[in-house]
Amino acid sequence: MIDHSVFNNKKVVFHTLGCKLNFAETSAIGRQLADDGFVKARPGEQADVCIVNTCSVTDVADAKGRQAIKRLIRLYPNAIMVVTGCYAQLKPDEIASIEGVDLVLGSNEKFNMLDYLRSFDKTKKEFVHRSDILKIKEFKPSCSRGDRTRFFLKVQDGCNYYCTYCTIPMARGHSRSGAVAETVQAARQAVAEGAKEIVLTGVNIGDFGRGNGESFFDLLRALDKIPEEVRFRISSIEPNLLTDEIIRYVASSRRFMPHFHIPLQSGTNEALQLMKRRYNRELFAEKIQTIKTVLPDAFIGVDVIVGIRGETDELFRQSYQFIEGLDISQLHVFTYSERSGTKMLEIDHAVPVAERKRRSEMLHQLSAKKTQAFYNSQTGKTVQVLWESRSRDEKMTGFSHNYVRVERSYDKNRINQVETVNLGGWNEEKSALISLFPPVERSLPTNVVNLR
Ligand code: SF4
């Protein structure tokens, strides 16, 4: 039995997998533990407690979770090994069977971490604590801070959509969110702690305010009014919840960046129906059109899943053609994997794994073309860049307001600062555009005129 007083200076290690939401929640747990005397173990230092916050969006995510857990058990043999997150919620026994795991906590139990550590007893057989996730109504706010330039503010959790390929509703429960006022307060707190950019994150953020008479649009307008200088980004939002009102508001807003991340998943209505998505491809194309009309330089990232059950060669061909015709900047390509407990398993037609891989490669190549075209369209433009840390060789990078990665010569005074620059051509690695003003300390590629 560990009593409270011995937490002082106890060393803790965190390992987070998966989405922005998980990072925000790990940060919140870290804060709770720090308030109770825990300190983060430095690299190479042994830890008393090791906490792994897992993801379970695909089979690959589960496998990565198992690998990370086993590696950390080897690295910290004396630590209390705690595993939580979506994988722990969906398959607790699979994790409990890993030799060296001491505590398995369901998705909602992670917020009671201190209680579980206080009552931890290595001799106790029962160490799996599930969450009755579909009964959870309470929203637990959290925000990642300090370990990144960009702060992730959790504004919503859970989902009521039950798309046929997805396990997230079973891992995180029903859709829930805080109130606009407390969310605005959390954002202002993050700014007070140094945030220059805040990413609004959740599972289905467009569903914010469900059940308490507020809406995501209300939240945007309230955040846009806070007096502090800060940039906001909207993370992934369902196309049917991305209203034209929201798009036009972002276009007129000073704080919300022209950057959208919208899950399409497939470019045919047949496949969208198999997935039980809540829009058709015509609606999706209209959203892209509306964005590009009011924000021609907006960055648009789009999620696509390849190889779902029922995706015949012909459906994939049509989907590819549709996506090819969209004026977007990047694709996030996911390869479908069978998930136990999902309705899609009732569809007989399974796409062979090798074919899923081939389709994924085709969409990755298409994505690279789209990103190249978008970046080329930005050369010569004036943008506001939030500089991050050092990249390499006396250079540093950051992202522009419209999510272009930009490079300049390193200057430590500019970390976490916003600067207006002109965009030049690609850097040598073709990983960023170079900033021209202020000029970079080296000869410019031939295709860019020096504006000095
Ligand atoms: S909207 Fe669909 S894919 Fe997204 S979390 Fe909800 S059920 Fe999963």
Side-chain angles (χ1 to χ4, degrees):
M1 178 65 82
I2 291 188
D3 67 33
H4 184 53
S5 62
V6 298
F7 277 156
N8 279 341
N9 289 323
K10 284 291 175 195
K11 300 280 185 292
V12 62
V13 163
F14 296 97
H15 186 79
T16 305
L17 298 122
C19 64
K20 300 177 178 84
L21 201 48
N22 264 10
F23 282 91
E25 292 174 342
T26 300
S27 256
I29 295 165
R31 200 166 181 99
Q32 275 178 3
L33 269 61
D35 292 348
D36 229 63
F38 277 93
V39 287
K40 275 194 182 162
R42 284 191 299 277
E45 209 177 16
Q46 272 307 310
D48 302 287
V49 174
C50 183
I51 298 171
V52 185
N53 193 0
T54 60
C55 167
S56 190
V57 74
T58 61
D59 280 358
V60 175
D62 290 358
K64 284 187 180 156
R66 290 191 294 277
Q67 282 158 15
I69 294 163
K70 291 174 182 163
R71 182 171 53 74
L72 291 161
I73 288 170
R74 285 193 301 277
L75 266 178
Y76 304 104
N78 308 319
I80 298 171
M81 185 57 63
V82 184
V83 182
T84 188
C86 296
Y87 186 22
Q89 176 65 34
L90 291 172
K91 300 179 181 165
D93 302 330
E94 222 168 85
I95 292 173
S97 67
I98 300 173
E99 182 68 31
V101 170
D102 297 306
L103 264 179
V104 181
L105 302 181
S107 285
N108 213 49
E109 306 319 304
K110 69 177 119 188
F111 301 107
N112 312 321
M113 188 66 70
L114 276 172
D115 297 341
Y116 284 107
L117 290 175
R118 285 196 189 106
S119 60
F120 175 70
D121 180 345
K122 203 156 183 81
T123 62
K124 255 202 214 145
K125 286 270 160 290
E126 186 42 48
F127 61 90
V128 173
H129 304 276
R130 303 160 199 268
S131 301
D132 193 349
I133 201 72
L134 295 178
K135 287 213 177 75
I136 305 292
K137 296 229 175 328
E138 191 194 1
F139 173 74
K140 300 270 186 183
S142 52
C143 182
S144 74
R145 48 176 48 86
D147 44 8
R148 291 172 176 235
T149 302
R150 203 158 286 106
F151 282 46
F152 299 143
L153 179 63
K154 173 184 171 181
V155 299
Q156 184 271 350
D157 200 350
C159 185
N160 297 1
Y161 277 22
Y162 290 92
C163 302
T164 57
Y165 54 85
C166 182
T167 56
I168 298 174
M170 284 87 93
R172 285 189 165 272
H174 295 313
S175 181
R176 53 201 188 279
S177 56
V180 166
E182 67 189 22
T183 310
V184 168
Q185 205 36 51
R188 298 190 69 184
Q189 179 58 33
V191 175
E193 294 187 18
K196 288 284 175 33
E197 185 164 294
I198 297 174
V199 181
L200 306 183
T201 189
V203 173
N204 193 346
I205 63 173
D207 216 26
F208 177 94
R210 165 187 285 272
N212 65 9
E214 296 179 321
S215 73
F216 188 60
F217 186 50
D218 296 337
L219 177 63
L220 296 192
R221 286 188 297 182
L223 289 170
D224 207 36
K225 293 196 182 69
I226 69 173
E228 293 87 356
E229 274 303 322
V230 65
R231 308 187 334 168
F232 288 106
R233 287 186 196 278
I234 299 171
S235 71
S236 177
I237 183 168
E238 292 296 309
N240 52 303
L241 297 175
L242 179 58
T243 61
D244 290 2
E245 184 182 50
I246 289 172
I247 295 170
R248 295 185 193 290
Y249 191 83
V250 167
S252 64
S253 150
R254 253 172 15 89
R255 298 227 187 295
F256 281 86
M257 299 296 107
H259 174 193
F260 295 90
H261 180 174
I262 320 170
L264 168 65
Q265 308 307 27
S266 175
T268 68
N269 290 339
E270 291 83 348
L272 291 176
Q273 272 149 27
L274 291 174
M275 295 185 204
K276 291 269 178 299
R277 300 290 286 161
R278 298 186 179 205
Y279 53 88
N280 57 25
R281 69 181 195 172
E282 289 74 21
L283 177 142
F284 193 89
E286 275 165 30
K287 295 294 168 194
I288 303 299
Q289 183 61 38
T290 306
I291 293 171
K292 283 296 181 176
T293 305
V294 294
L295 288 163
D297 290 319
F299 185 99
I300 305 177
V302 169
D303 293 346
V304 182
I305 301 178
V306 287
I308 62 154
R309 292 191 162 217
E311 188 185 63
T312 60
D313 294 355
E314 177 51 23
L315 282 183
F316 176 69
R317 190 191 63 71
Q318 291 174 22
S319 176
Y320 185 95
Q321 217 171 24
F322 174 79
I323 296 167
E324 198 174 26
L326 293 172
D327 184 2
I328 56 177
S329 323
Q330 184 181 38
L331 295 172
H332 304 275
V333 184
F334 299 88
T335 301
Y336 170 70
S337 62
E338 279 70 7
R339 311 295 293 149
S340 54
T342 56
K343 280 216 161 304
M344 183 155 274
L345 298 178
E346 295 163 11
I347 301 170
D348 294 337
H349 176 104
V351 179
V353 172
E355 174 56 16
R356 296 179 204 186
K357 201 159 175 294
R358 186 190 72 82
R359 293 176 187 180
S360 170
E361 275 154 18
M362 281 181 68
L363 283 173
H364 276 102
Q365 285 159 20
L366 178 60
S367 179
K369 269 198 229 140
K370 294 227 176 246
T371 304
Q372 171 121 10
F374 179 75
Y375 271 54
N376 290 346
S377 75
Q378 296 304 301
T379 296
K381 304 247 167 131
T382 301
V383 295
Q384 287 71 44
V385 178
L386 171 59
W387 294 111
E388 299 176 9
S389 55
R390 183 192 300 269
S391 61
R392 55 168 187 77
D393 313 347
E394 294 314 306
K395 300 279 179 261
M396 65 193 303
T397 58
F399 280 93
S400 69
H401 63 296
N402 61 337
Y403 211 58
V404 173
R405 182 188 287 277
V406 186
E407 181 183 275
R408 61 156 287 143
S409 52
Y410 180 70
D411 174 351
K412 70 176 178 354
N413 302 320
R414 294 199 181 277
I415 292 178
N416 213 17
Q417 300 300 317
V418 174
E419 183 187 23
T420 300
V421 304
N422 283 347
L423 290 177
W426 291 93
N427 66 355
E428 273 138 31
E429 304 69 39
K430 287 233 167 206
S431 62
L433 296 185
I434 54 175
S435 70
L436 289 181
F437 186 77
V440 288
E441 307 304 330
R442 70 186 167 103
S443 61
L444 294 169
T446 49
N447 63 353
V448 174
V449 183
N450 183 339
L451 295 177
R452 268 189 283 178

